[in-house]
Amino acid sequence: MTEGPDIARIAALVADPARSAMLLALMDGRALTATELALAAGITRQTASSHLAKLADGGALAVEAQGRHRYFRLAGPHVAALLEALMVFSGDAAPAPPRTGPGQPALRKARICYDHLAGEMGVTLHERMQARGLLMGDLAGDLAVTAPGWAHLAEIGLTPVALPRSNRPLCRTCLDWSMRRHHLAGLLGKAILDRLLALAWARRLPGSRVIRFTPEGERRFHAWLG
Amino acid sequence: MTEGPDIARIAALVADPARSAMLLALMDGRALTATELALAAGITRQTASSHLAKLADGGALAVEAQGRHRYFRLAGPHVAALLEALMVFSGDAAPAPPRTGPGQPALRKARICYDHLAGEMGVTLHERMQARGLLMGDLAGDLAVTAPGWAHLAEIGLTPVALPRSNRPLCRTCLDWSMRRHHLAGLLGKAILDRLLALAWARRLPGSRVIRFTPEGERRFHAWLG
DNA sequence: GTCATGCTTCGATGCTAGCCGAAGCATGAC
DNA sequence: GTCATGCTTCGGCTAGCATCGAAGCATGAC
């Protein structure tokens, strides 16, 4: 009996219907809370908790605690690849993702989160900057601006010297409420939002967290992110 | 609770250590007998039998009965892809394949199987002809010679009219004992072997099933198959 | 401080499935 | 025909695990 790679252990993680339902619910890359995943799997919270612990221990899920919530997401692309290989096998399509987040479309699109941009536009900002190599991130969520990053930020009038000195981290990621993906927080997140407002690409709606982009502002925003 | 694709059912097929060991043993594309797979998994034959039935029912394995043996092989590339995705996850390498087949190298290399060529050379013949589109096969193991196939066969002096009329299928595949892959059988298999002997590319060793290629014959054989 | 919420741990229950021994059923050799 | 071999089916045992109720432990709101 030859001792091969421990495929069975990994497969067993997915082999339970409740766990596979949870994994499928996370296939779009969002992060969901334990309670939401319990709902998606149709089991109680206690049971879900034990399943989630197994998935996290087994390396299939990454956990992120935020306040009293715990957000779970797929540990990486290899997990998604595995699920896709299984779906090829069963030949079915993915289920419809559960509805989450704010109901108002304007809030989903762009809003202020403490002092930085959140919602679709905030997530786009973060992910495009990451994809273009303007930010170098480690897994802990700490980020640094690269040299090309500073050059790019200068295009909207942001220079290192324009940022205040503070203990607060320059650059953080923050899990987005509606998108369940990370957006850009920290001093840089605030500074960028300030510039967007100063450039009149967007403005705050009074008495609400909504940030409304002007059509021209949205166009320039996307052009800037390339 | 959304009803997604039945990923859990497929994953459960692999989730058992005995079954995963069997699947890994089949990863090189060979077909192995139930007893060999029981040995590979370190379980009794009875237990292996139930596991193999599950794998076959689940669509992971294809079965081929030959005499009193039952040969199992992976049902298709999607199964191999799934196993690879799992191996990426666990990060290990595949185990060493078990030793099978005849001990004598000459028998492994080329021998007569009923009336056609078997062993490495027989498998090569079949697989090269398939790869070059000289044969069109369906999944049942029935084959037909294509027009380019006939043209190619003419190069060693084989024409359709040279073949005897008979009920026997022209073209079959036969699972190779030592290679555990298919080689070419049927009337065509016999005819090709006859031509190889007539051309003196190879000869039978008396009192044995070994077919010995001459160095020149082997060179021509491979050149012919391109 | 009190209360509510989100989540985990503990304990008990019940189901499922892997496992093997023994017997049964084919196929092939003689 | 007899015998050997390869494989499957049956029966019963056991272990593991998913499940849920209840309690415990944090965090945040007030």
Side-chain angles (χ1 to χ4, degrees), chain B:
Chain B
M1 178 171 184
T2 53
E3 278 294 338
D6 200 357
I7 287 201
R9 205 192 97 251
I10 310 295
L13 287 179
V14 196
D16 181 82
R19 284 197 293 267
S20 74
M22 293 176 174
L23 290 169
L24 288 178
L26 295 169
M27 263 299 270
D28 57 359
R30 292 178 309 169
L32 297 178
T33 66
T35 304
E36 285 170 331
L37 288 168
L39 192 67
I43 53 179
T44 62
R45 269 165 247 146
Q46 313 92 287
T47 308
S49 181
S50 105
H51 283 311
L52 290 169
K54 278 175 191 162
L55 287 170
D57 285 349
L61 293 185
V63 201
E64 199 162 341
Q66 195 147 305
R68 53 184 165 185
H69 297 272
R70 294 188 74 196
Y71 287 92
F72 293 85
R73 60 188 157 78
L74 300 188
H78 57 293
V79 185
L82 169 59
L83 295 176
E84 274 169 24
L86 284 162
M87 286 196 277
V88 166
F89 209 122
S90 67
D92 271 308
R99 258 269 135 302
T100 53
Q104 306 96 308
L107 267 180
R108 293 184 67 90
K109 172 105 181 211
R111 66 181 176 277
I112 195 166
C113 168
Y114 187 36
D115 59 4
H116 52 266
L117 186 63
E120 289 173 24
M121 301 295 276
V123 171
T124 299
L125 170 66
H126 172 237
E127 293 187 347
R128 286 299 302 153
M129 287 191 74
Q130 280 267 33
R132 296 192 53 184
L134 309 181
L135 302 173
M136 288 294 295
D138 57 31
L139 293 176
D142 290 315
L143 286 173
V145 181
T146 62
W150 283 120
H152 208 72
L153 289 168
E155 295 179 15
I156 60 167
L158 259 183
T159 60
V161 295
L163 291 169
R165 292 235 163 260
S166 153
N167 299 350
R168 190 179 166 200
L170 170 64
C171 215
R172 291 285 299 177
T173 58
C174 177
L175 198 57
D176 196 273
W177 172 37
S178 58
M179 295 285 285
R180 303 306 168 85
R181 293 163 168 272
H182 285 115
H183 56 238
L184 189 63
L187 273 182
L188 183 62
K190 168 173 168 46
I192 289 181
L193 176 58
D194 289 346
R195 287 303 302 158
L196 296 179
L197 298 174
L199 290 167
W201 289 4
R203 64 189 172 86
R204 292 197 57 171
L205 286 200
S208 143
R209 297 176 53 198
V210 170
I211 295 198
R212 168 145 313 163
F213 276 73
T214 67
E216 173 70 7
E218 187 168 346
R219 199 190 57 72
R220 292 206 180 191
F221 180 77
H222 284 119
W224 173 59
L225 290 175

Side-chain angles (χ1 to χ4, degrees), chain A residues 33-35 46 49 70:
Chain A
T33 66
T35 304
Q46 314 92 285
S49 181
R70 294 188 74 195

Side-chain angles (χ1 to χ4, degrees), chain A residues 99-153:
Chain A
R99 256 276 130 302
T100 54
Q104 305 97 306
L107 268 181
R108 293 185 66 90
K109 173 105 181 211
R111 66 179 177 278
I112 196 166
C113 169
Y114 187 38
D115 60 4
H116 52 267
L117 186 64
E120 289 174 24
M121 301 296 276
V123 171
T124 300
L125 170 66
H126 172 236
E127 293 186 347
R128 286 298 302 153
M129 288 191 73
Q130 281 266 36
R132 295 191 55 182
L134 310 182
L135 302 174
M136 288 295 295
D138 58 33
L139 293 177
D142 289 315
L143 286 174
V145 181
T146 62
W150 283 120
H152 208 71
L153 288 169

